[in-house]
Amino acid sequence: MASIDHISRGRMGWNMVTSTNIDEAMNFGLDGPIGSDIRHSRAAEFVDVLRGLWDSWDDDAFIRDKASGQYFDREKSHWLDHAGEHFKVRGPLDTARPPQGWLPIITAGASSNAQDLAARAADICYGGQPSFEMARRYYASVKGRLGRFGRTEADLLMMPGIMCYVGETQREAQAKFDAIQDVMNIEVGIGQLILNHFPDLSGYPLDEPVPELMMRTDNLGSARLAGREPEMTIALMDRAREEKLTLRQLFDVAMCGFWSLGVIGTPKSIADMMERWFHEGAADGFMVQPPYMPGAAEDFVDLVIPELQRRGLYRREYEATTLRGHLGIGRPAGRYQGAVA
């Protein structure tokens, strides 16, 4: 990652995921996923190790003086000598300190352990909450933990995911969504629901109301064990019952970003929603997730961004050259050098 940061001149970020997939676990010598407590403790220590390795060299350690033949200053190299509960790493890293110092770290997760990890180590916390009230509760919960780790609210950006179908009119936006839904493979839709702890609905008619099925306790229990709260899964099933949604309509709701913020609208209506979330404690920014490429991304750039710029909510020129700079988060000095640069 340090090498890519050098190659990209500081454009690298790290989406740190504490995986729960059994196939991933078996690729690393495990018989299955480990519990949330150990997994998040291990992740926190892993971050400490990586940041320590990125600090193996002071920023000005490499002199590269051809006249004297001195390549680096030995006094500005540092041994990590980390010995913890999960890792033992001597160091140093054989790569110069990254342009960003430490790469920005993005985490996600609704469990208490995941929120603690974000408050302790992340620069950005991704949110998958589909409603304003859920997002605002999550925002307050994560931000409220920062003080335990000696951090302030400015040290962590809360950035919910947003999936937009944009049109010049509401009808045009809805037509774009409908066109995507028309070509969706039903088996894929059912599989996505199962992955998110729904019972198997493949044996039920698509155009009749979602059957009265209880969410399987083994599914919800495994979700909690993995550190994922099933709140949104239960809410979607409750909505299906209350609104008497058909299975096909359930797919429409779920695939329009139920596990993130899904919006079908005009540039004004989407900007209105984003502005409210930004000003009323639900978001510090957004992770834009185009539902299809390149058209949906182009629609957002060409239609929504100008509306946000007119409101003074989005830059017109870049003020920096690195990912940290674009995000407005300071570049940390090496641990042997002092404070944030």
Side-chain angles (χ1 to χ4, degrees):
M1 288 193 287
S3 296
I4 296 173
D5 203 45
H6 282 287
I7 292 168
S8 66
R9 297 188 177 94
R11 297 295 297 276
M12 179 69 175
W14 175 25
N15 180 27
M16 183 181 67
V17 179
T18 55
S19 300
T20 60
N21 184 288
I22 187 170
D23 297 316
E24 294 167 343
M26 293 177 72
N27 279 339
F28 291 89
L30 303 173
D31 294 327
I34 55 180
S36 178
D37 288 349
I38 296 175
R39 190 157 36 84
H40 285 89
S41 169
R42 188 171 182 270
E45 186 179 336
F46 192 83
V47 171
D48 290 342
V49 171
L50 259 71
R51 285 175 168 166
L53 290 173
W54 288 332
D55 285 344
S56 294
W57 303 90
D58 292 350
D59 288 320
D60 58 351
F62 290 90
I63 300 168
R64 300 185 179 92
D65 186 344
K66 293 183 179 181
S68 67
Q70 186 176 8
Y71 187 67
F72 66 91
D73 184 343
R74 291 183 181 275
E75 297 299 317
K76 296 182 179 182
S77 66
H78 309 282
W79 302 89
L80 180 59
D81 286 328
H82 174 90
E85 181 181 358
H86 304 283
F87 302 101
K88 186 175 182 180
V89 182
R90 188 188 70 170
L93 195 67
D94 60 351
T95 302
R97 194 160 190 263
Q100 297 182 96
W102 298 345
L103 276 62
I105 293 175
I106 304 97
T107 67
S111 73
S112 181
N113 283 334
Q115 292 186 51
D116 280 346
L117 180 61
R120 181 186 189 278
D123 299 291
I124 300 168
C125 183
Y126 170 84
Q129 290 69 35
S131 73
F132 173 77
E133 289 302 331
M134 291 175 70
R136 187 159 64 171
R137 288 197 302 270
Y138 183 63
Y139 183 105
S141 179
V142 177
K143 292 270 189 174
R145 299 166 189 253
L146 288 162
R148 302 182 205 168
F149 305 100
R151 305 179 74 199
T152 69
E153 290 199 7
D155 294 327
L156 176 65
L157 300 177
M158 300 294 292
M159 299 183 69
I162 181 171
M163 180 183 292
C164 296
Y165 294 84
V166 191
E168 296 280 7
T169 65
Q170 187 66 33
R171 178 177 293 183
E172 180 185 323
Q174 186 66 47
K176 291 178 180 180
F177 174 73
D178 292 343
I180 294 298
Q181 292 304 100
D182 286 344
V183 297
M184 186 186 75
N185 183 289
I186 295 301
E187 287 77 12
V188 171
I190 291 172
Q192 286 297 313
L193 293 176
I194 292 173
L195 284 173
N196 287 281
H197 314 292
F198 272 78
D200 186 352
L201 300 171
S202 59
Y204 295 91
L206 290 175
D207 295 306
E208 293 183 11
V210 176
E212 280 289 336
L213 296 175
M214 295 298 293
M215 300 303 295
R216 296 210 320 255
T217 55
D218 61 327
N219 277 353
L220 299 183
S222 65
R224 289 192 175 97
L225 176 64
R228 298 191 301 272
E229 292 298 332
E231 175 186 9
M232 288 178 282
T233 301
I234 295 171
L236 180 54
M237 197 59 151
D238 288 344
R239 178 176 172 182
R241 293 190 185 104
E242 292 168 7
E243 299 181 14
K244 295 182 172 54
L245 299 178
T246 66
L247 185 53
R248 195 185 302 275
Q249 290 170 327
L250 179 67
F251 292 150
D252 285 355
V253 174
M255 296 306 113
C256 186
F258 184 82
W259 285 276
S260 60
L261 174 60
V263 187
I264 304 170
T266 64
K268 180 182 183 304
S269 67
I270 292 172
D272 285 345
M273 179 277 302
M274 295 176 74
E275 185 170 17
R276 182 192 181 204
W277 282 46
F278 180 69
H279 284 308
E280 296 185 23
D284 296 317
F286 293 88
M287 296 270 195
V288 180
Q289 302 170 190
Y292 58 93
M293 292 290 284
E298 292 169 344
D299 286 345
F300 190 89
V301 170
D302 295 340
L303 299 173
V304 180
I305 292 296
E307 179 65 26
L308 294 172
Q309 289 174 326
R310 279 192 288 273
R311 302 177 187 212
L313 296 171
Y314 194 86
R315 62 167 65 90
R316 293 182 181 274
E317 300 288 341
Y318 284 113
E319 301 89 15
T321 59
T322 67
L323 179 56
R324 275 189 172 275
H326 295 329
L327 293 169
I329 52 179
R331 181 186 187 276
R335 64 191 60 196
Y336 307 101
Q337 296 175 266
V340 173

